[in-house]
Amino acid sequence: MDKRYVRAAVIALMLAGLTLHGGIASAQQKRDTIRIGFVTFLSGPAAGPFGVPARMAAEAVVEQLNAGKAPAPYDTKGFGGTPIELVVIDEAGGTTKQVSEFRNLVSRQNVDYVIGYISSGDCLAIAPVAEEMKKVTVLFDCGTPRVFEEASYKYVFRTRPHATMDAVAAALYLLEQKSGVKSYGGINQNYAWGQDSWHDFDLAMKTLKPDARVTTSQMPKFGSGQYGAEISALIQSGSEVIHSSLWGGDLEAFMMQSVPRGLFRKSQLVLVAGEPYLHRLGANMPDGTIVGARGTHGVFAPDSNLNTWLKTIYKAKAGHDPNYPAYVATLAFLGLKTAFEKAKLEQASSLKPSDDALIATFEGLSFDSPSGRATMSLGKGHQAVMGTAYGTTKLVNGKVTVTNVKHYPAERVTPPNGISSPDWIKGGMKPGK
Amino acid sequence: MNQTVSIQKRPPAQGTDRTTIVLLAALVVLLVAGPLLPRWAMFMLNVSLSWGTVVLGMLLLMRTGLVSFGQGLYYCLGAYAAGALHHFYGIADIMVMLLASLALAAAVAAVLGLLLAKYRSIFFAMLSLAFSMILFGLLVKTSALGSTDGFGLSAKTLAGITLGERWERYALFATTVVVAFCAAFGVHRYLSSHQGRLAGAIRDNELRVEYMGASVRRVIHVNYVIAASLAGIGGGLVGISIGHVDPEMAFWTTSGEFVFIAILSGTGSVLAPFLGATIFESVRSFAYEYSPNTWQLILGVTMLLVIMFLPGGLWSVFTRRKAA
């Protein structure tokens, strides 16, 4: 018999198997767990500093919640007594794949909720799809204010504040420390985050300190790794202050290359997202560097039972203290849990509350977390606001510590409802009512 | 003056017919089965068929002996053309968007083709790659288009007919199926035409084709524009179905994926790219689900197995091996 028919049949069977499997998965409607899709970078440059810490935090938190071991008010098991089941998906691969995978999570894996997304591009792409598929989705780490400033959603929430406050608070802190700044420059990656971060910082400086002059804005490409030319330009520019939103391997490479060249002997460095690298960089982090954690996470988190709890469970799993992505992942689970349980009080008979009830309680919700209290007050109640903090590094016994920490309340660093971030900064950053 | 290359007559009608029959059957089956499919499967097929359309263009180039590492250029242009119509002008009609995708890709290819048609093998591959990376670089630097974050788009009407929420997805799926069918049928007919058959002749011996009086550059140019148009329309379809466009569509890894699918499929038939794209997307998707940490490894192993055991691509499963 012709071999090709056999081979064709094998391929056909494989395809049928895959389809059938999907069908079976879809058929498993009746479950006794709350299934949460968790999407985070497991590969690529963002996996090491952000994706994997977020995943470890998510797993540690879910284990604790399922065992009912979390401190009050999160001491009920799982979500309202029902255990949580995590379905972890890699965020790598770009928006096309992420939209496909989101659809698969929802209609093939039948997750009840989705928590995820570190990349702002992914968040912008996923939000309308979540809306179309009517699936409650919590964005946990991406920062772009565009998500809720350009559109409004019913099913999409973001439990961390957006990125405008990172740049605004950096400018406020800098000017409190060095009120006589005459010039500033920047080195930021040439992609959306780097461009936005520099743009917002520049706008905030122009508003707060109109006589300060921009010396240079270096925009190396993402992942370039070699910064010789940029460092020369920064040294030559003689900037008093250097703003940078670099992260990951790029930040480490930049520091390794610029510290020996003495760049920071004359220039004050401001690292908007420097917190996850304090321990990794160690002696390569010059004393007196201004660092932020994009919120009151990590070293900026307030002392509380919840914070001690997260540090303990995370350290048991990872061997070191949690960084800000671990904190924002925790924030998302605790926010969803609070909304879920409040909504379930009114519909006690069913396993989970209806989406409409959940959304109604989630909108405008305030809840406690290891990073402090979050309030869902922007974007028609879908976007969290929190205060933020900045500090200055100091090397103590070979370990980087952060001193001189200043906290900024949310209304000082975040635009109120109904005004876009750039307009708000240009308009003088007036606090909303 | 008549060109003297077409000594050989068209292949026996039976061969042509079989592909056409399979194509027609697939068209009918997909259109009818569409509404019955689970939502994830319909979406997966939608993306696969769009990618298949892009790879179909690559098949045409590969038949001509050229491998493009830069189809992402046209894929991205197509998507951005559709996106820009919605983003800046508020036009949300699938037909208009796709026509814009097609027109922009074809126009750019007609110009770039003037240069690229002079190059072969690795030089062609690298130059096409360079052009797509230039577009990537430009888009990344353009904050007005959202830089790396890109922007969203959506289509609400099909040729002026307003679609309800219920039929939106199916209308897009049906459009994709019809576009993929037309593309496959068109390329199939083209490949058995006089000009189309020159492709293989150029791959085998360019010099001889020139001596016989046909213009190699013209054939390559035309094939390049066809391939680009298919990539553009594929990009438009993907952009609309994803609902978001970003510069990653022009990045070399995207073009690399098209090469991956093209090698996986083989160049045996116009049906191969669609089969290859569907299998690629299924393997990738299930790899994401079952081994989120090592899905790249699974794709790599699949590729390795295909190269080792089916050097002619998946399509060689359906063709009788020639007696060695």
Side-chain angles (χ1 to χ4, degrees):
Chain A
M1 191 35 205
D2 203 329
K3 257 187 175 178
R4 64 193 167 130
Y5 291 116
V6 181
R7 278 185 258 133
V10 168
I11 288 195
L13 269 177
M14 275 165 62
L15 275 180
L18 282 176
T19 320
L20 200 67
H21 174 90
I24 291 167
S26 314
Q28 292 169 341
Q29 294 282 6
K30 222 171 155 56
R31 287 189 315 263
D32 45 6
T33 55
I34 301 293
R35 228 164 131 89
I36 298 182
F38 187 67
V39 191
T40 177
F41 280 105
L42 303 176
S43 59
F50 305 142
V52 173
R55 178 195 182 160
M56 283 196 283
E59 286 173 349
V61 167
V62 166
E63 275 167 28
Q64 289 275 310
L65 291 180
N66 283 346
K69 283 188 192 156
Y74 301 112
D75 46 359
T76 37
K77 278 193 177 180
F79 273 15
T82 313
I84 306 160
E85 187 190 343
L86 270 189
V87 182
V88 180
I89 293 281
D90 190 358
E91 195 186 330
T95 48
T96 310
K97 295 191 186 65
Q98 285 313 313
V99 168
S100 305
E101 285 320 309
F102 180 87
R103 289 173 176 279
N104 289 340
L105 270 177
V106 173
S107 61
R108 192 165 79 203
Q109 301 237 47
N110 281 306
V111 296
D112 297 296
Y113 309 106
V114 178
I115 294 179
Y117 307 106
I118 290 172
S119 147
S120 287
D122 289 339
C123 282
L124 288 169
I126 292 297
V129 185
E131 201 70 4
E132 181 199 322
M133 305 202 76
K134 302 193 177 16
K135 185 57 63 179
V136 174
T137 299
V138 183
L139 309 174
F140 83 93
D141 189 44
C142 56
T144 183
R146 286 173 59 197
V147 178
F148 294 102
E149 283 181 4
E150 289 181 358
S152 65
Y153 299 103
K154 182 181 173 196
Y155 290 87
V156 185
F157 292 86
R158 179 160 59 186
T159 45
R160 62 153 296 165
H162 64 64
T164 304
M165 71 172 191
D166 302 330
V168 172
L172 288 172
Y173 185 86
L174 172 70
L175 292 171
E176 278 168 25
Q177 304 300 312
K178 299 184 130 199
S179 54
V181 170
K182 287 190 189 66
S183 63
Y184 59 96
I187 175 161
N188 294 283
Q189 291 140 313
N190 202 347
Y191 81 110
W193 155 248
Q195 292 162 358
D196 291 351
S197 186
W198 167 252
H199 184 69
D200 287 353
F201 178 77
D202 187 30
L203 269 183
M205 287 297 282
K206 284 201 164 77
T207 309
L208 295 167
K209 185 86 182 153
D211 54 335
R213 167 177 71 85
V214 180
T215 49
T216 175
S217 164
Q218 296 295 316
M219 286 267 171
K221 75 172 168 35
F222 180 86
S224 81
Q226 291 294 325
Y227 300 96
E230 285 85 1
I231 293 167
S232 298
L234 287 169
I235 292 175
Q236 273 168 16
S237 74
S239 316
E240 274 180 65
V241 174
I242 294 169
H243 164 276
S244 180
S245 61
L246 292 183
W247 55 268
D250 286 14
L251 175 63
E252 292 187 37
F254 172 68
M255 297 304 284
M256 301 286 182
Q257 291 162 35
S258 54
V259 170
R261 292 182 61 182
L263 174 60
F264 307 120
R265 260 179 255 144
K266 282 184 183 161
S267 306
Q268 164 74 53
L269 177 64
V270 180
L271 292 179
V272 174
E275 184 265 344
Y277 311 97
L278 293 179
H279 307 299
R280 291 181 61 98
L281 283 164
N284 274 308
M285 181 72 99
D287 261 9
T289 302
I290 295 173
V291 292
R294 308 190 62 198
T296 48
H297 315 297
V299 294
F300 300 106
D303 278 332
S304 67
N305 277 345
L306 282 167
N307 191 12
T308 319
W309 164 72
L310 177 63
K311 278 189 178 164
T312 318
I313 60 167
Y314 186 86
K315 210 164 182 176
K317 215 173 175 79
H320 53 85
D321 281 335
N323 60 9
Y324 82 72
Y327 276 80
V328 290
T330 310
L331 205 55
F333 280 91
L334 297 184
L336 185 58
K337 179 178 163 73
T338 311
F340 181 100
E341 288 172 0
K342 276 196 176 171
K344 206 188 157 181
L345 284 179
E346 291 149 29
Q347 302 179 329
S349 56
S350 55
L351 187 69
K352 56 173 198 163
S354 72
D355 281 345
D356 283 336
L358 176 79
I359 289 163
T361 40
F362 212 161
E363 284 175 351
L365 182 76
S366 270
F367 60 97
D368 285 313
S369 80
S371 324
R373 198 165 179 78
T375 306
M376 310 292 294
S377 65
L378 283 180
K380 296 181 182 152
H382 289 246
Q383 162 70 56
V385 297
M386 291 176 86
T388 188
Y390 269 84
T392 310
T393 61
K394 191 174 168 55
L395 202 62
V396 179
N397 301 328
K399 210 175 167 229
V400 183
T401 57
V402 175
T403 58
N404 198 15
V405 173
K406 289 264 157 49
H407 285 265
Y408 299 92
E411 60 275 14
R412 247 193 110 183
V413 290
T414 312
N417 261 318
I419 179 165
S420 81
S421 296
D423 290 344
W424 176 72
I425 302 175
K426 273 184 243 167
M429 297 182 262
K430 292 183 193 72
K433 277 139 247 162
Chain B
M1 190 185 80
N2 268 334
Q3 286 162 323
T4 47
V5 186
S6 60
I7 300 165
Q8 199 184 339
K9 287 212 164 169
R10 283 196 178 170
Q14 175 224 357
T16 322
D17 278 344
R18 199 187 290 160
T19 305
T20 315
I21 288 166
V22 176
L23 274 175
L24 274 169
L27 174 76
V28 173
V29 167
L30 285 172
L31 285 179
V32 173
L36 310 171
L37 286 170
R39 284 204 285 180
W40 63 268
M42 186 159 100
F43 185 80
M44 200 155 122
L45 267 177
N46 199 336
V47 171
S48 304
L49 291 177
S50 312
W51 284 353
T53 311
V54 181
V55 176
L56 183 67
M58 294 193 63
L59 175 142
L60 184 60
L61 286 175
M62 282 163 100
R63 287 269 184 106
T64 325
L66 298 165
V67 177
S68 166
F69 258 95
Q71 286 310 90
L73 170 67
Y74 301 108
Y75 177 68
C76 183
L77 278 177
Y80 268 74
L85 277 187
H86 182 245
H87 197 64
F88 296 109
Y89 306 105
I91 296 169
D93 188 88
I94 298 177
M95 283 299 162
V96 180
M97 283 168 149
L98 289 182
L99 284 176
S101 305
L102 180 80
L104 183 64
V108 173
V111 177
L112 292 186
L114 293 172
L115 180 72
L116 277 162
K118 290 185 199 166
Y119 293 88
R120 305 289 180 272
S121 69
I122 189 76
F123 306 103
F124 178 85
M126 288 295 114
L127 206 57
S128 57
L129 174 71
F131 280 121
S132 79
M133 289 306 288
I134 289 172
L135 178 68
F136 174 78
L138 285 175
L139 289 175
V140 165
K141 286 186 173 66
T142 316
S143 313
L145 291 173
S147 180
T148 40
D149 284 350
F151 56 88
L153 68 149
S154 63
K156 299 276 171 233
T157 60
L158 176 63
I161 303 159
T162 310
L163 309 158
E165 203 178 321
R166 194 176 134 78
W167 292 104
E168 233 169 70
R169 281 285 145 198
Y170 177 72
L172 185 58
F173 175 74
T175 312
T176 309
V177 171
V178 172
V179 166
F181 169 80
C182 294
F185 184 70
V187 170
H188 178 61
R189 297 294 301 170
Y190 176 72
L191 280 173
S192 52
S193 75
H194 173 84
Q195 165 113 0
R197 289 168 71 79
L198 281 172
I202 290 171
R203 188 186 53 197
D204 292 343
N205 194 334
E206 238 182 67
L207 214 56
R208 187 172 289 175
V209 176
E210 285 280 355
Y211 267 102
M212 289 179 151
S215 165
V216 171
R217 266 187 71 181
R218 203 181 61 102
V219 174
I220 289 182
H221 198 161
V222 169
N223 288 2
Y224 184 72
V225 173
I226 296 176
S229 311
L230 292 174
I233 205 161
L237 284 168
V238 169
I240 298 168
S241 55
I242 296 292
H244 189 85
V245 297
D246 62 29
E248 188 139 329
M249 300 181 109
F251 199 57
W252 64 269
T253 50
T254 307
S255 304
E257 249 163 36
F258 294 140
V259 175
F260 187 118
I261 299 173
I263 295 174
L264 186 77
S265 321
T267 55
S269 159
V270 293
L271 290 159
F274 299 99
L275 181 75
T278 310
I279 288 179
F280 172 82
E281 179 64 3
S282 321
V283 170
R284 188 195 59 70
S285 169
F286 284 96
Y288 255 76
E289 186 176 327
Y290 291 110
S291 66
N293 287 302
T294 50
W295 60 272
Q296 291 100 332
L297 189 75
I298 293 177
L299 280 184
V301 168
T302 312
M303 184 62 156
L304 213 61
L305 290 176
V306 168
I307 290 177
M308 280 167 71
F309 296 109
L310 295 170
L314 282 172
W315 194 254
S316 55
V317 168
F318 300 102
T319 48
R320 205 182 296 263
R321 266 199 203 144
K322 279 182 189 132

